mmCIF file with all atom_site columns, all heavy atoms in Angstrom:
data_model
loop_
_atom_site.group_PDB
_atom_site.id
_atom_site.type_symbol
_atom_site.label_atom_id
_atom_site.label_alt_id
_atom_site.label_comp_id
_atom_site.label_asym_id
_atom_site.label_entity_id
_atom_site.label_seq_id
_atom_site.pdbx_PDB_ins_code
_atom_site.Cartn_x
_atom_site.Cartn_y
_atom_site.Cartn_z
_atom_site.occupancy
_atom_site.B_iso_or_equiv
_atom_site.pdbx_formal_charge
_atom_site.auth_seq_id
_atom_site.auth_comp_id
_atom_site.auth_asym_id
_atom_site.auth_atom_id
_atom_site.pdbx_PDB_model_num
ATOM 1   N N   . GLU A 1 37 ? -15.076 -6.685  3.892  1.00 96.00 ? 51 GLU A N   1
ATOM 2   C CA  . GLU A 1 37 ? -13.656 -6.365  3.758  1.00 96.00 ? 51 GLU A CA  1
ATOM 3   C C   . GLU A 1 37 ? -13.000 -5.860  5.061  1.00 96.00 ? 51 GLU A C   1
ATOM 4   O O   . GLU A 1 37 ? -11.907 -6.257  5.442  1.00 96.00 ? 51 GLU A O   1
ATOM 5   C CB  . GLU A 1 37 ? -13.468 -5.269  2.689  1.00 96.00 ? 51 GLU A CB  1
ATOM 6   C CG  . GLU A 1 37 ? -13.760 -5.759  1.280  1.00 96.00 ? 51 GLU A CG  1
ATOM 7   C CD  . GLU A 1 37 ? -13.682 -4.684  0.200  1.00 96.00 ? 51 GLU A CD  1
ATOM 8   O OE1 . GLU A 1 37 ? -13.105 -3.529  0.495  1.00 96.00 ? 51 GLU A OE1 1
ATOM 9   O OE2 . GLU A 1 37 ? -14.044 -4.884  -0.943 1.00 96.00 ? 51 GLU A OE2 1
ATOM 10  N N   . LYS A 1 38 ? -13.844 -5.078  5.767  1.00 96.00 ? 52 LYS A N   1
ATOM 11  C CA  . LYS A 1 38 ? -13.284 -4.631  7.113  1.00 96.00 ? 52 LYS A CA  1
ATOM 12  C C   . LYS A 1 38 ? -13.036 -5.779  8.061  1.00 96.00 ? 52 LYS A C   1
ATOM 13  O O   . LYS A 1 38 ? -11.998 -5.867  8.764  1.00 96.00 ? 52 LYS A O   1
ATOM 14  C CB  . LYS A 1 38 ? -14.264 -3.545  7.728  1.00 96.00 ? 52 LYS A CB  1
ATOM 15  C CG  . LYS A 1 38 ? -13.827 -2.968  8.990  1.00 96.00 ? 52 LYS A CG  1
ATOM 16  C CD  . LYS A 1 38 ? -14.805 -1.974  9.462  1.00 96.00 ? 52 LYS A CD  1
ATOM 17  C CE  . LYS A 1 38 ? -14.323 -1.334  10.757 1.00 96.00 ? 52 LYS A CE  1
ATOM 18  N NZ  . LYS A 1 38 ? -15.445 -0.389  11.268 1.00 96.00 ? 52 LYS A NZ  1
ATOM 19  N N   . ALA A 1 39 ? -14.079 -6.744  8.082  1.00 95.00 ? 53 ALA A N   1
ATOM 20  C CA  . ALA A 1 39 ? -13.864 -7.883  9.000  1.00 95.00 ? 53 ALA A CA  1
ATOM 21  C C   . ALA A 1 39 ? -12.711 -8.707  8.593  1.00 95.00 ? 53 ALA A C   1
ATOM 22  O O   . ALA A 1 39 ? -12.012 -9.237  9.388  1.00 95.00 ? 53 ALA A O   1
ATOM 23  C CB  . ALA A 1 39 ? -15.187 -8.705  9.000  1.00 95.00 ? 53 ALA A CB  1
ATOM 24  N N   . LEU A 1 40 ? -12.499 -8.911  7.236  1.00 95.00 ? 54 LEU A N   1
ATOM 25  C CA  . LEU A 1 40 ? -11.433 -9.685  6.753  1.00 95.00 ? 54 LEU A CA  1
ATOM 26  C C   . LEU A 1 40 ? -10.070 -9.040  7.074  1.00 95.00 ? 54 LEU A C   1
ATOM 27  O O   . LEU A 1 40 ? -9.172  -9.714  7.489  1.00 95.00 ? 54 LEU A O   1
ATOM 28  C CB  . LEU A 1 40 ? -11.599 -9.924  5.257  1.00 95.00 ? 54 LEU A CB  1
ATOM 29  C CG  . LEU A 1 40 ? -10.781 -10.994 4.603  1.00 95.00 ? 54 LEU A CG  1
ATOM 30  C CD1 . LEU A 1 40 ? -11.260 -12.287 5.032  1.00 95.00 ? 54 LEU A CD1 1
ATOM 31  C CD2 . LEU A 1 40 ? -10.859 -10.834 3.106  1.00 95.00 ? 54 LEU A CD2 1
ATOM 32  N N   . LYS A 1 41 ? -10.019 -7.780  7.033  1.00 94.00 ? 55 LYS A N   1
ATOM 33  C CA  . LYS A 1 41 ? -8.812  -6.998  7.350  1.00 94.00 ? 55 LYS A CA  1
ATOM 34  C C   . LYS A 1 41 ? -8.461  -7.228  8.834  1.00 94.00 ? 55 LYS A C   1
ATOM 35  O O   . LYS A 1 41 ? -7.324  -7.410  9.225  1.00 94.00 ? 55 LYS A O   1
ATOM 36  C CB  . LYS A 1 41 ? -9.063  -5.501  7.017  1.00 94.00 ? 55 LYS A CB  1
ATOM 37  C CG  . LYS A 1 41 ? -7.738  -4.772  7.155  1.00 94.00 ? 55 LYS A CG  1
ATOM 38  C CD  . LYS A 1 41 ? -7.982  -3.270  6.667  1.00 94.00 ? 55 LYS A CD  1
ATOM 39  C CE  . LYS A 1 41 ? -6.715  -2.479  6.733  1.00 94.00 ? 55 LYS A CE  1
ATOM 40  N NZ  . LYS A 1 41 ? -7.077  -1.093  6.295  1.00 94.00 ? 55 LYS A NZ  1
ATOM 41  N N   . GLU A 1 42 ? -9.452  -7.178  9.726  1.00 93.00 ? 56 GLU A N   1
ATOM 42  C CA  . GLU A 1 42 ? -9.300  -7.277  11.144 1.00 93.00 ? 56 GLU A CA  1
ATOM 43  C C   . GLU A 1 42 ? -8.833  -8.733  11.530 1.00 93.00 ? 56 GLU A C   1
ATOM 44  O O   . GLU A 1 42 ? -7.929  -8.890  12.297 1.00 93.00 ? 56 GLU A O   1
ATOM 45  C CB  . GLU A 1 42 ? -10.567 -7.065  11.887 1.00 93.00 ? 56 GLU A CB  1
ATOM 46  C CG  . GLU A 1 42 ? -10.970 -5.579  11.912 1.00 93.00 ? 56 GLU A CG  1
ATOM 47  C CD  . GLU A 1 42 ? -12.399 -5.275  12.549 1.00 93.00 ? 56 GLU A CD  1
ATOM 48  O OE1 . GLU A 1 42 ? -12.918 -6.204  12.989 1.00 93.00 ? 56 GLU A OE1 1
ATOM 49  O OE2 . GLU A 1 42 ? -12.689 -4.136  12.628 1.00 93.00 ? 56 GLU A OE2 1
ATOM 50  N N   . LEU A 1 43 ? -9.389  -9.759  10.777 1.00 90.00 ? 57 LEU A N   1
ATOM 51  C CA  . LEU A 1 43 ? -8.986  -11.108 10.970 1.00 90.00 ? 57 LEU A CA  1
ATOM 52  C C   . LEU A 1 43 ? -7.432  -11.364 10.569 1.00 90.00 ? 57 LEU A C   1
ATOM 53  O O   . LEU A 1 43 ? -6.757  -12.030 11.229 1.00 90.00 ? 57 LEU A O   1
ATOM 54  C CB  . LEU A 1 43 ? -9.850  -12.097 10.238 1.00 90.00 ? 57 LEU A CB  1
ATOM 55  C CG  . LEU A 1 43 ? -11.286 -12.240 10.730 1.00 90.00 ? 57 LEU A CG  1
ATOM 56  C CD1 . LEU A 1 43 ? -12.064 -13.202 9.828  1.00 90.00 ? 57 LEU A CD1 1
ATOM 57  C CD2 . LEU A 1 43 ? -11.124 -13.039 12.098 1.00 90.00 ? 57 LEU A CD2 1
ATOM 58  N N   . ARG A 1 44 ? -7.160  -10.736 9.434  1.00 89.00 ? 58 ARG A N   1
ATOM 59  C CA  . ARG A 1 44 ? -5.707  -10.831 8.989  1.00 89.00 ? 58 ARG A CA  1
ATOM 60  C C   . ARG A 1 44 ? -4.790  -10.184 10.011 1.00 89.00 ? 58 ARG A C   1
ATOM 61  O O   . ARG A 1 44 ? -3.712  -10.764 10.297 1.00 89.00 ? 58 ARG A O   1
ATOM 62  C CB  . ARG A 1 44 ? -5.527  -10.157 7.696  1.00 89.00 ? 58 ARG A CB  1
ATOM 63  C CG  . ARG A 1 44 ? -6.094  -10.943 6.516  1.00 89.00 ? 58 ARG A CG  1
ATOM 64  C CD  . ARG A 1 44 ? -5.746  -10.290 5.193  1.00 89.00 ? 58 ARG A CD  1
ATOM 65  N NE  . ARG A 1 44 ? -6.354  -10.987 4.103  1.00 89.00 ? 58 ARG A NE  1
ATOM 66  C CZ  . ARG A 1 44 ? -6.819  -10.423 3.011  1.00 89.00 ? 58 ARG A CZ  1
ATOM 67  N NH1 . ARG A 1 44 ? -6.752  -9.099  2.896  1.00 89.00 ? 58 ARG A NH1 1
ATOM 68  N NH2 . ARG A 1 44 ? -7.482  -11.090 2.134  1.00 89.00 ? 58 ARG A NH2 1
ATOM 69  N N   . ALA A 1 45 ? -5.060  -9.050  10.527 1.00 88.00 ? 59 ALA A N   1
ATOM 70  C CA  . ALA A 1 45 ? -4.281  -8.339  11.521 1.00 88.00 ? 59 ALA A CA  1
ATOM 71  C C   . ALA A 1 45 ? -4.250  -9.202  12.780 1.00 88.00 ? 59 ALA A C   1
ATOM 72  O O   . ALA A 1 45 ? -3.116  -9.365  13.374 1.00 88.00 ? 59 ALA A O   1
ATOM 73  C CB  . ALA A 1 45 ? -4.880  -7.001  11.857 1.00 88.00 ? 59 ALA A CB  1
ATOM 74  N N   . LYS A 1 46 ? -5.311  -9.795  13.205 1.00 86.00 ? 60 LYS A N   1
ATOM 75  C CA  . LYS A 1 46 ? -5.316  -10.573 14.369 1.00 86.00 ? 60 LYS A CA  1
ATOM 76  C C   . LYS A 1 46 ? -4.377  -11.971 14.239 1.00 86.00 ? 60 LYS A C   1
ATOM 77  O O   . LYS A 1 46 ? -3.684  -12.257 15.109 1.00 86.00 ? 60 LYS A O   1
ATOM 78  C CB  . LYS A 1 46 ? -6.799  -11.089 14.703 1.00 86.00 ? 60 LYS A CB  1
ATOM 79  C CG  . LYS A 1 46 ? -6.951  -11.567 16.120 1.00 86.00 ? 60 LYS A CG  1
ATOM 80  C CD  . LYS A 1 46 ? -8.500  -11.780 16.282 1.00 86.00 ? 60 LYS A CD  1
ATOM 81  C CE  . LYS A 1 46 ? -8.837  -11.983 17.750 1.00 86.00 ? 60 LYS A CE  1
ATOM 82  N NZ  . LYS A 1 46 ? -10.229 -12.177 17.980 1.00 86.00 ? 60 LYS A NZ  1
ATOM 83  N N   . ALA A 1 47 ? -4.498  -12.573 13.035 1.00 81.00 ? 61 ALA A N   1
ATOM 84  C CA  . ALA A 1 47 ? -3.882  -13.713 12.729 1.00 81.00 ? 61 ALA A CA  1
ATOM 85  C C   . ALA A 1 47 ? -2.331  -13.457 12.615 1.00 81.00 ? 61 ALA A C   1
ATOM 86  O O   . ALA A 1 47 ? -1.483  -14.248 13.012 1.00 81.00 ? 61 ALA A O   1
ATOM 87  C CB  . ALA A 1 47 ? -4.290  -14.382 11.465 1.00 81.00 ? 61 ALA A CB  1
ATOM 88  N N   . SER A 1 48 ? -1.911  -12.308 12.090 1.00 80.00 ? 62 SER A N   1
ATOM 89  C CA  . SER A 1 48 ? -0.500  -11.952 11.987 1.00 80.00 ? 62 SER A CA  1
ATOM 90  C C   . SER A 1 48 ? 0.153   -11.718 13.304 1.00 80.00 ? 62 SER A C   1
ATOM 91  O O   . SER A 1 48 ? 1.318   -11.811 13.478 1.00 80.00 ? 62 SER A O   1
ATOM 92  C CB  . SER A 1 48 ? -0.350  -10.740 11.059 1.00 80.00 ? 62 SER A CB  1
ATOM 93  O OG  . SER A 1 48 ? -0.861  -9.617  11.809 1.00 80.00 ? 62 SER A OG  1
ATOM 94  N N   . GLN A 1 49 ? -0.685  -11.383 14.349 1.00 79.00 ? 63 GLN A N   1
ATOM 95  C CA  . GLN A 1 49 ? -0.083  -11.186 15.613 1.00 79.00 ? 63 GLN A CA  1
ATOM 96  C C   . GLN A 1 49 ? 0.324   -12.496 16.362 1.00 79.00 ? 63 GLN A C   1
ATOM 97  O O   . GLN A 1 49 ? 1.235   -12.527 17.107 1.00 79.00 ? 63 GLN A O   1
ATOM 98  C CB  . GLN A 1 49 ? -1.070  -10.380 16.583 1.00 79.00 ? 63 GLN A CB  1
ATOM 99  C CG  . GLN A 1 49 ? -1.341  -8.981  16.143 1.00 79.00 ? 63 GLN A CG  1
ATOM 100 C CD  . GLN A 1 49 ? -2.408  -8.363  16.973 1.00 79.00 ? 63 GLN A CD  1
ATOM 101 O OE1 . GLN A 1 49 ? -3.096  -8.942  17.704 1.00 79.00 ? 63 GLN A OE1 1
ATOM 102 N NE2 . GLN A 1 49 ? -2.574  -6.996  16.809 1.00 79.00 ? 63 GLN A NE2 1
ATOM 103 N N   . LYS A 1 50 ? -0.413  -13.551 16.027 1.00 67.00 ? 64 LYS A N   1
ATOM 104 C CA  . LYS A 1 50 ? -0.234  -14.792 16.675 1.00 67.00 ? 64 LYS A CA  1
ATOM 105 C C   . LYS A 1 50 ? 0.999   -15.527 16.159 1.00 67.00 ? 64 LYS A C   1
ATOM 106 O O   . LYS A 1 50 ? 1.533   -16.441 16.836 1.00 67.00 ? 64 LYS A O   1
ATOM 107 C CB  . LYS A 1 50 ? -1.392  -15.724 16.540 1.00 67.00 ? 64 LYS A CB  1
ATOM 108 C CG  . LYS A 1 50 ? -2.620  -15.239 17.407 1.00 67.00 ? 64 LYS A CG  1
ATOM 109 C CD  . LYS A 1 50 ? -3.803  -16.140 17.308 1.00 67.00 ? 64 LYS A CD  1
ATOM 110 C CE  . LYS A 1 50 ? -4.979  -15.601 18.131 1.00 67.00 ? 64 LYS A CE  1
ATOM 111 N NZ  . LYS A 1 50 ? -6.025  -16.569 18.116 1.00 67.00 ? 64 LYS A NZ  1
ATOM 112 N N   . GLY A 1 51 ? 1.466   -15.224 14.937 1.00 60.00 ? 65 GLY A N   1
ATOM 113 C CA  . GLY A 1 51 ? 2.675   -15.900 14.408 1.00 60.00 ? 65 GLY A CA  1
ATOM 114 C C   . GLY A 1 51 ? 2.256   -17.110 13.528 1.00 60.00 ? 65 GLY A C   1
ATOM 115 O O   . GLY A 1 51 ? 1.065   -17.117 12.980 1.00 60.00 ? 65 GLY A O   1
ATOM 116 N N   . SER A 1 52 ? 3.096   -17.978 13.338 1.00 57.00 ? 66 SER A N   1
ATOM 117 C CA  . SER A 1 52 ? 2.843   -19.076 12.529 1.00 57.00 ? 66 SER A CA  1
ATOM 118 C C   . SER A 1 52 ? 1.830   -20.046 13.079 1.00 57.00 ? 66 SER A C   1
ATOM 119 O O   . SER A 1 52 ? 1.633   -20.117 14.354 1.00 57.00 ? 66 SER A O   1
ATOM 120 C CB  . SER A 1 52 ? 4.142   -19.877 12.175 1.00 57.00 ? 66 SER A CB  1
ATOM 121 O OG  . SER A 1 52 ? 4.634   -20.370 13.323 1.00 57.00 ? 66 SER A OG  1
#
Side-chain angles (χ1 to χ4, degrees):
E51 288 177 13
K52 185 178 179 184
L54 196 67
K55 189 175 181 182
E56 288 174 359
L57 285 174
R58 284 187 186 144
K60 197 174 194 182
S62 67
Q63 290 175 351
K64 291 184 179 181
S66 64

